[in-house]
Amino acid sequence: MEMEQEKLSLCNDDVSSESAFHCSACHDDEEWSCANPIRGRAKFRSLSVSPALGSTKEFRRTRSLHGPCPVTTFGPKACMLQNPKTIMHIQDPASQRLTWNKPPKSVLVIKKIRDASLLQPFKELCVYLTEENNMIVYVEKKVLEDPAIVNDDNFGPVKKKFCTFREDYDDISNQIDFIICLGGDGTLLYASSLFQGSVPPVMAFHLGSLGFLTPFNFENFQSQVTQVIEGNAALVLRSRLKVKVVKEHREKKTLIQNGIEENGVISTSLEMEVGKQIMQYQVLNEVVVDRGPSSYLSNVDVFLDGHLITTVQGDGVIVSTPTGSTAYAAAAGASMIHPNVPAIMITPICPHSLSFRPIVVPAGVELKIMLSPDARNTAWVSFDGRKRQEVCHGDSISITTSCYPLPSICFRDPVSDWFESLAECLHWNVRKKQNHFAVEEEF
């Protein structure tokens, strides 16, 4: 009892102390605000690092090592069900459950393109959503251009009720209440790319090849979708990376309709400085910097909070989220991290060094990747396998944890779903059992 009172007193002292240390979701390059009012009011004691010998300036950290407070509102109507037992601003991942401010009315259905096996599940789901639940269904325009859907007269009345959009042309971020994915892990990555801010809850059905991020089977989709609509579902918040690419020389581009440019970058994420072009992305899996078509080693410098920590000499480097740790990073020899762990993983790709091991850094740090001054060639960067572009001398890639996670709906709970995916999809620690010793019979 005395220990509990002592801990409570310590927490209260920390919250009430005045300092220059703020939640990085409210004190960063952008003017973010905490969705949780408790978080917005909380203040934290600054942990000052002792100045180095001979230094005249004291170092004071202004960015939280734990990463930004994640936004707990997802799309126009969904939010996290608040747990009264939350300790300070850290909520037990096992208690994260979906709730709705208002009943959901609109749903985005994402279907894997050019997969004939998904046509029937897609039609059944859309009929159930529109006719049984009277919901507004959004689909991408190119999905409805499939000849099998165009020539299906029975599906025509349902198809007329759809709202369509085109990627990089139409902004639907404030019109979607939740998302349903039909396909593999790529559909979840695609859903993430459509929402550069707050992401609606995502329900992913395993209809692809691997399905590590898609826990639901389609056989009983009616009851499962109904539970989500009623707000009876567990959530796992998959952290994303906020990436800023600064390029020294800006090419001239022509604006086209709805604020979108020819290169597919949303103009609201594009800032102009003198002689510089700045682009921002929200990344769910990983940022990959590689040597591209060059036969030379990639030679890039990696900075952490402004300090050079290493130079990568090899095929490249992967900066991944915990969700991305089971993707390209795992293939490159990294450890696998549960998505509830606040962290960023740095994994070299075929480094020309026997001692260069993957490392995990706190979610709140800011990484910067630049070409080394001695690099013989340029590098290339991609974001979740998309938007691939060249990185030249003087360009920089800044990476930190975003305050906009992707709320993925769980089949059971975050822990059970993750270990089941490890076993079923990656066959983690699958080995033939060792035989026991035979017991000798005593005579």
Side-chain angles (χ1 to χ4, degrees), residues 12 22 25 37 71-72 95 127 132 184 195 212 217 223 274 278 291 294 302 315-316 330 332 349 374 377 392:
N12 290 336
H22 302 282
V71 171
T72 55
S95 69
V127 169
E132 299 293 332
F195 297 86
F212 191 90
N217 292 319
S223 60
V274 178
I278 301 178
R291 60 188 175 93
S294 173
V302 179
D315 281 354
I349 306 172
D374 299 328
N377 56 294
C392 303

Side-chain angles (χ1 to χ4, degrees), residues 126-138:
C126 292
V127 169
Y128 176 75
L129 292 171
T130 55
E131 297 184 358
E132 299 293 332
N133 291 276
N134 196 29
M135 301 197 73
I136 302 172
V137 176
Y138 284 78

Side-chain angles (χ1 to χ4, degrees), residues 114-168:
R114 296 184 297 274
D115 191 337
S117 65
L118 297 182
L119 291 176
Q120 189 59 33
F122 172 74
K123 294 177 182 178
E124 293 179 10
L125 175 64
C126 292
V127 169
Y128 176 75
L129 292 171
T130 55
E131 297 184 358
E132 299 293 332
N133 291 276
N134 196 29
M135 301 197 73
I136 302 172
V137 176
Y138 284 78
V139 295
E140 195 172 3
K141 188 175 181 180
K142 60 184 178 182
V143 171
L144 299 183
E145 294 173 352
D146 191 307
I149 295 179
V150 173
N151 299 326
D152 190 346
D153 296 333
N154 295 328
F155 194 62
V158 177
K159 187 173 62 175
K160 291 180 180 178
K161 299 179 182 179
F162 290 163
C163 294
T164 61
F165 72 97
R166 293 174 296 171
E167 183 188 8
D168 294 334

Side-chain angles (χ1 to χ4, degrees), residues 46-52 55 57-62 305 307:
S46 176
L47 300 179
S48 300
V49 178
S50 300
S55 175
K57 293 184 179 180
E58 182 179 356
F59 174 79
R60 294 177 68 85
R61 178 174 293 279
T62 59
D305 286 344
H307 301 282

Side-chain angles (χ1 to χ4, degrees), residues 70-75 80 96 110 179 181 185-204 213 215 234-241 282-285 321 323 339-340 384 401-410:
V71 171
T72 55
T73 56
F74 315 119
M80 181 79 72
Q96 294 174 347
I110 296 177
I179 305 169
C181 295
D185 295 344
T187 58
L188 196 71
L189 297 175
Y190 178 67
S192 172
S193 69
L194 294 176
F195 297 86
Q196 295 299 297
S198 177
V199 186
V202 182
M203 183 181 192
L213 306 178
L235 282 178
V236 56
L237 298 185
R238 298 186 179 276
S239 63
R240 298 196 293 175
L241 298 175
Q282 297 283 331
V283 177
L284 178 60
N285 259 1
T321 63
T323 296
N340 278 126
D384 284 341
T401 300
S402 170
C403 70
Y404 296 109
L406 184 141
S408 180
I409 298 173
C410 301

Side-chain angles (χ1 to χ4, degrees), residues 284-304:
L284 178 60
N285 259 1
E286 73 273 300
V287 178
V288 178
V289 180
D290 59 69
R291 60 188 175 93
S294 173
S295 59
Y296 293 113
L297 286 175
S298 174
N299 197 338
V300 295
D301 293 335
V302 179
F303 298 83
L304 189 148

Side-chain angles (χ1 to χ4, degrees), residues 57-355:
K57 293 184 179 180
E58 182 179 356
F59 174 79
R60 294 177 68 85
R61 178 174 293 279
T62 59
R63 180 183 294 274
S64 169
L65 280 177
H66 297 290
C69 299
V71 171
T72 55
T73 56
F74 315 119
K77 298 174 184 175
C79 66
M80 181 79 72
L81 179 63
Q82 295 300 318
N83 180 11
K85 296 182 180 180
T86 299
I87 301 174
M88 294 183 68
H89 69 282
I90 302 175
Q91 184 169 341
D92 179 11
S95 69
Q96 294 174 347
R97 299 195 66 83
L98 173 68
T99 188
W100 301 99
N101 294 327
K102 297 179 181 179
K105 294 296 182 182
S106 59
V107 56
L108 168 63
V109 178
I110 296 177
K111 184 186 87 66
K112 185 178 179 182
I113 305 297
R114 296 184 297 274
D115 191 337
S117 65
L118 297 182
L119 291 176
Q120 189 59 33
F122 172 74
K123 294 177 182 178
E124 293 179 10
L125 175 64
C126 292
V127 169
Y128 176 75
L129 292 171
T130 55
E131 297 184 358
E132 299 293 332
N133 291 276
N134 196 29
M135 301 197 73
I136 302 172
V137 176
Y138 284 78
V139 295
E140 195 172 3
K141 188 175 181 180
K142 60 184 178 182
V143 171
L144 299 183
E145 294 173 352
D146 191 307
I149 295 179
V150 173
N151 299 326
D152 190 346
D153 296 333
N154 295 328
F155 194 62
V158 177
K159 187 173 62 175
K160 291 180 180 178
K161 299 179 182 179
F162 290 163
C163 294
T164 61
F165 72 97
R166 293 174 296 171
E167 183 188 8
D168 294 334
Y169 282 81
D170 303 314
D171 183 9
I172 59 172
S173 57
N174 293 322
Q175 303 172 31
I176 305 299
D177 294 334
F178 73 104
I179 305 169
I180 297 179
C181 295
L182 303 178
D185 295 344
T187 58
L188 196 71
L189 297 175
Y190 178 67
S192 172
S193 69
L194 294 176
F195 297 86
Q196 295 299 297
S198 177
V199 186
V202 182
M203 183 181 192
F205 286 95
H206 176 30
L207 293 169
S209 54
L210 183 62
F212 191 90
L213 306 178
T214 55
F216 289 93
N217 292 319
F218 195 75
E219 286 76 13
N220 301 316
F221 78 91
Q222 294 94 337
S223 60
Q224 295 169 342
V225 171
T226 300
Q227 286 186 343
V228 171
I229 295 175
E230 294 175 350
N232 182 22
L235 282 178
V236 56
L237 298 185
R238 298 186 179 276
S239 63
R240 298 196 293 175
L241 298 175
K242 174 189 170 186
V243 185
K244 182 171 71 172
V245 180
V246 180
K247 294 198 171 184
E248 284 293 326
H249 301 288
R250 176 173 59 87
E251 297 178 1
K252 186 177 180 181
K253 296 180 177 64
T254 305
L255 285 174
I256 53 179
Q257 61 181 358
N258 293 329
I260 308 298
E261 302 197 352
E262 284 182 336
N263 63 348
V265 178
I266 302 177
S267 61
T268 55
S269 299
L270 187 67
E271 304 171 8
M272 298 298 177
E273 294 181 2
V274 178
K276 293 184 178 180
Q277 179 185 9
I278 301 178
M279 294 166 288
Q280 294 190 15
Y281 304 94
Q282 297 283 331
V283 177
L284 178 60
N285 259 1
E286 73 273 300
V287 178
V288 178
V289 180
D290 59 69
R291 60 188 175 93
S294 173
S295 59
Y296 293 113
L297 286 175
S298 174
N299 197 338
V300 295
D301 293 335
V302 179
F303 298 83
L304 189 148
D305 286 344
H307 301 282
L308 177 66
I309 58 170
T310 192
T311 297
V312 179
Q313 298 184 94
D315 281 354
V317 63
I318 306 167
V319 180
S320 59
T321 63
T323 296
S325 69
T326 54
Y328 193 178
S335 296
M336 294 179 287
I337 307 175
H338 189 276
N340 278 126
V341 177
I344 298 175
M345 174 166 280
I346 303 173
T347 307
I349 306 172
C350 297
H352 199 252
S353 169
L354 297 178
S355 60

